[in-house]
Amino acid sequence: MRILHASRFEAGRVATLLVAVAFLTACASAPTPPPAARSELAPTGKLRVGLLVRNPSYVIKDGTATEMQGIAVDLARELARQLGVPFEPVRYEAVSKMLDGAKVGDWDVSFLGFEQSRTAQIDFTPAYAVVGSGYMVPAGSPIRSIGDVDKPGIRIAVSQRSAQDVFVTKNIKQAQLVRVTQVPEGLKLMMAGKVDAVVGNRTQLLDAANEMPGSRVLEGSLFDVGQSMGIPKGRPAGTAYARNFVEYAKSSGLVQKAIDRSGLRGVNVAPASGK
């Protein structure tokens, strides 16, 4: 009886392990795109991808479709490969212009930070990565911490319609907000002494600090922004497939490999969404 009991136990254990292996294999397998998803994500026969080329969180090297490099570029290329269509980058220097592009159908998929106010015109996938937000100050600045920023007389540059713009508009009570079209414009104002700090995602600010001796990115994060894929409203099959693709990209290690290739600091793979 003991032998029979042990055999049943081992059989059950083996069965459990087989189920676990099958589950992990399924998680790491690329989802097969149904025809409806391919039609909605590549209606022109190409995957037109909206990319913020001035933000290293997405693109670290601009150029032709084959020369571009970056986390979003790697993911976009793999998505295009899964769909069996060419990858066509649609370049933007400011998130506000990318959002406007969604209204007129200039792109089919974009890579951008999730922000609730954007869901009126864009459907989002779960986050594939997470990036913190923070402040950068120039050399010699008396500002030492995040708590020193929101004070009378302090001027903060922020990219209009960015996730950081939404946050500081709600939370900054005493400092003055100076809206710009993109972070590099804010950095120029800071170096010219026209603003006292620039708010943005920490990855972009840390990258910029390498080119500006003495400047500092303050310790800590204001809030974390989930980096997601966005699909224009009205493409349910395409959105469903993109969501499955993002979960595959995380579980298979594709996102982590893209982060490693980028060499960026402050970017982490987002947790599984649990669907």
Side-chain angles (χ1 to χ4, degrees), residues 2-16:
R2 290 179 181 174
I3 295 175
L4 179 60
H5 177 76
S7 298
R8 286 176 177 171
F9 174 77
E10 290 300 325
R13 187 179 176 190
V14 170
T16 300

Side-chain angles (χ1 to χ4, degrees), residues 139-184:
S141 173
I143 299 173
R144 309 307 300 178
S145 68
I146 287 177
D148 295 334
V149 177
D150 189 13
K151 293 182 177 179
I154 300 295
R155 301 158 298 176
I156 305 169
V158 58
S159 299
Q160 59 187 352
R161 298 172 68 184
S162 65
Q164 290 78 22
D165 188 10
V166 175
F167 179 87
V168 295
T169 297
K170 292 179 180 178
N171 293 281
I172 291 297
K173 306 301 181 183
Q174 301 181 80
Q176 175 189 353
L177 299 179
V178 179
R179 288 183 171 82
V180 295
T181 57
Q182 53 188 300
V183 168

Side-chain angles (χ1 to χ4, degrees), residues 1 4 51 60 79 136 162-163 173 188 220-221 227 238-239 270:
M1 291 296 291
L4 179 60
L51 294 166
I60 59 173
L79 177 59
M136 182 175 176
S162 65
K173 306 301 181 183
K188 289 181 180 179
S221 176
Q227 306 297 303
T239 299

Side-chain angles (χ1 to χ4, degrees), residues 96 98-104 107 116-124 161 231-234:
S96 57
M98 177 187 280
L99 295 174
D100 290 338
K103 300 176 183 178
V104 294
W107 50 263
Q116 187 62 42
S117 63
R118 298 171 181 170
T119 59
Q121 63 187 87
I122 297 172
D123 285 323
F124 285 87
R161 298 172 68 184
I231 298 91
K233 288 285 189 181

Side-chain angles (χ1 to χ4, degrees), residues 12-36:
R13 187 179 176 190
V14 170
T16 300
L17 288 172
L18 289 174
V19 170
V21 170
F23 174 76
L24 291 173
T25 301
C27 287
S29 299
T32 301

Side-chain angles (χ1 to χ4, degrees), residues 41-266:
L41 292 176
T44 65
K46 298 179 180 180
L47 182 66
R48 300 176 303 161
V49 183
L51 294 166
L52 293 167
V53 295
R54 299 294 295 273
N55 189 328
S57 297
Y58 307 104
V59 177
I60 59 173
K61 178 184 177 182
D62 197 2
T64 66
T66 56
E67 294 171 338
M68 294 182 80
Q69 297 176 18
I71 298 172
V73 176
D74 285 354
L75 296 179
R77 284 201 183 106
E78 178 60 18
L79 177 59
R81 190 181 75 81
Q82 296 293 341
L83 293 171
V85 298
F87 157 61
E88 181 176 283
V90 182
R91 298 167 177 81
Y92 294 96
E93 294 196 351
V95 68
S96 57
K97 293 183 180 180
M98 177 187 280
L99 295 174
D100 290 338
K103 300 176 183 178
V104 294
D106 283 346
W107 50 263
D108 305 306
V109 171
S110 64
F111 287 78
L112 72 170
F114 174 81
E115 168 51 49
Q116 187 62 42
S117 63
R118 298 171 181 170
T119 59
Q121 63 187 87
I122 297 172
D123 285 323
F124 285 87
T125 68
Y128 61 85
V130 178
V131 178
S133 298
Y135 292 109
M136 182 175 176
V137 296
S141 173
I143 299 173
R144 309 307 300 178
S145 68
I146 287 177
D148 295 334
V149 177
D150 189 13
K151 293 182 177 179
I154 300 295
R155 301 158 298 176
I156 305 169
V158 58
S159 299
Q160 59 187 352
R161 298 172 68 184
S162 65
Q164 290 78 22
D165 188 10
V166 175
F167 179 87
V168 295
T169 297
K170 292 179 180 178
N171 293 281
I172 291 297
K173 306 301 181 183
Q174 301 181 80
Q176 175 189 353
L177 299 179
V178 179
R179 288 183 171 82
V180 295
T181 57
Q182 53 188 300
V183 168
E185 181 184 342
L187 295 174
K188 289 181 180 179
L189 292 178
M190 184 183 77
M191 298 307 291
K194 296 181 179 179
V195 298
D196 305 290
V198 178
V199 63
N201 79 56
R202 284 180 55 82
T203 297
Q204 187 173 16
L205 297 180
L206 287 167
D207 187 66
N210 292 331
E211 308 298 324
M212 299 180 178
S215 63
R216 292 178 290 110
V217 178
L218 302 182
E219 290 295 326
S221 176
L222 289 170
F223 66 102
D224 290 336
V225 178
Q227 306 297 303
S228 303
M229 289 171 53
I231 298 91
K233 288 285 189 181
R235 305 186 188 189
T239 299
Y241 178 75
R243 286 172 175 158
N244 288 334
F245 173 81
V246 164
E247 293 306 313
Y248 151 72
K250 291 185 289 189
S251 65
S252 67
L254 180 63
V255 176
Q256 185 62 61
K257 290 177 182 177
I259 292 172
D260 293 343
R261 276 193 295 271
S262 74
L264 297 176
R265 295 174 290 168

